Amino acid sequence: MTLVLLALILWIAAWWLNVRLANSGLSHTQAVRFGVPLIFGLTILVVWELVVRGLAVPLVILPPPSQIVARIASEVPTLWADFVQTFVKGALSGYVIGCVSAFVVAILADRFDFLRRGLLPVGNFIAALPIIGTAPILVMWFGFDWQSKAAVVVVMVFFPMLVNTVAGLQETTAMQRDLMRTYGASYWASLMKLRLPAAMPFIFNGLKISTTLALIGAIVAEFFGSPIVGMGFRISTSVGQLALDMVWAEIVVAALAGSAFYGVVAAIEKGVTFWHPSQRG
């Protein structure tokens, strides 16, 4: 119980420190903005370690962070092969195909009103379908390699990207569109110079949502059939072997990959939409 008491004291001390930093006059500085979440995250890890060891929690219930880190260090080649199979081949390829095709279809739906009226309700219906039902079908259609995982990702990211892009293209006001017509601008000139730039925050919102959906879709699809490599395959087999430290190692790699992917898209958004009030702070 000594370790549990130490964990409680550490949690209270870290909470007090974070409150002081967040409410201080330096709260808007870069050091505090990065320091507060860093302290919070490290506190969670240390408290997790102390509580698990203090209460002697079995490995099959919850392994301590130190054991997860040790497993990651000892399984780097396996984790790398799983990362390449799931993220690079499955999630990333499906993300690119799904988002690009959704963008093209959104432009067509904006150009032809009947497409927008007919496609969006169908898109809402398909987006509501559970992945656990569609993934096995796509795996049977496209085989057990990464192509079926990419197909699942395409289905998952296509309609969120489509809906956000179509909504963004409708963001400009009627007065702005009338002004472009007054200047004699064609549809494509108005699209490229007015409506597409105004839609960029919506487009990047769809891209950011799709980063998480892509990785989730690829991992879940691997539960229904995969070669002997991949994050979903490794999680499924490790659970059956009660190797919970390996399961958590895969979860950590997936979380880091997903966060980095989201961060890259957010950084690109900041450079492209620097003019938007949300980026100017």
Side-chain angles (χ1 to χ4, degrees):
M1 292 301 293
T2 305
L3 292 177
V4 177
L5 182 61
L6 180 60
L8 180 61
I9 295 172
L10 177 63
W11 180 264
I12 294 172
W15 184 283
W16 176 84
L17 178 60
N18 268 347
V19 169
R20 292 294 300 271
L21 288 174
N23 294 331
S24 68
L26 302 175
S27 59
H28 296 294
T29 62
Q30 288 289 96
V32 173
R33 286 175 61 188
F34 287 103
V36 169
L38 181 62
I39 293 171
F40 186 76
L42 290 175
T43 303
I44 290 177
L45 292 177
V46 174
V47 169
W48 176 359
E49 180 82 21
L50 293 174
V51 170
V52 168
R53 294 197 179 277
L55 297 178
V57 178
L59 172 64
V60 294
I61 301 297
L62 185 65
S66 59
Q67 190 165 349
I68 298 171
V69 172
R71 190 61 183 262
I72 292 174
S74 64
E75 297 286 352
V76 170
T78 302
L79 293 170
W80 175 253
D82 292 341
F83 170 80
V84 171
Q85 176 71 18
T86 302
F87 183 80
V88 178
K89 293 183 178 180
L92 195 57
S93 59
Y95 176 85
V96 172
I97 295 170
C99 290
V100 170
S101 56
F103 179 80
V104 173
V105 173
I107 297 296
L108 294 174
D110 179 74
R111 187 71 178 92
F112 304 103
D113 190 59
F114 77 91
L115 275 178
R116 184 172 69 253
R117 294 176 181 273
L119 193 59
L120 291 185
V122 175
N124 292 330
F125 172 76
I126 294 178
L129 294 176
I131 182 179
I132 199 170
T134 56
I137 298 172
L138 292 172
V139 168
M140 295 305 296
W141 285 357
F142 294 95
F144 293 101
D145 209 346
W146 65 269
Q147 291 87 347
S148 58
K149 287 63 183 175
V152 173
V153 173
V154 169
V155 172
M156 289 194 68
V157 307
F158 182 86
F159 290 103
M161 183 65 186
L162 175 66
V163 170
N164 275 277
T165 305
V166 170
L169 292 172
Q170 303 298 317
E171 178 66 8
T172 53
T173 64
M175 184 177 295
Q176 290 172 324
R177 294 192 294 271
D178 288 343
L179 181 62
M180 292 296 289
R181 283 193 290 269
T182 301
Y183 290 153
S186 65
Y187 168 82
W188 296 107
S190 177
L191 176 69
M192 298 302 296
K193 296 182 179 179
L194 172 65
R195 303 177 65 220
L196 202 54
M200 280 300 164
F202 289 82
I203 293 172
F204 275 101
N205 187 48
L207 290 172
K208 289 189 292 185
I209 292 172
S210 298
T211 57
T212 0
L213 294 176
L215 193 54
I216 292 172
I219 292 175
V220 171
E222 289 180 345
F223 290 165
F224 299 98
S226 173
I228 54 172
V229 65
M231 293 181 181
F233 167 80
R234 197 74 55 197
I235 290 172
S236 179
T237 54
S238 297
V239 167
Q241 297 166 353
L242 296 180
L244 269 295
D245 53 348
M246 188 63 182
V247 174
W248 277 97
E250 292 283 359
I251 291 172
V252 169
V253 172
L256 291 175
S259 300
F261 193 16
Y262 184 94
V264 168
V265 175
I268 296 173
E269 178 190 18
K270 190 171 184 179
V272 173
T273 62
F274 60 90
W275 48 269
H276 196 262
S278 63
Q279 302 299 334
R280 297 201 304 265

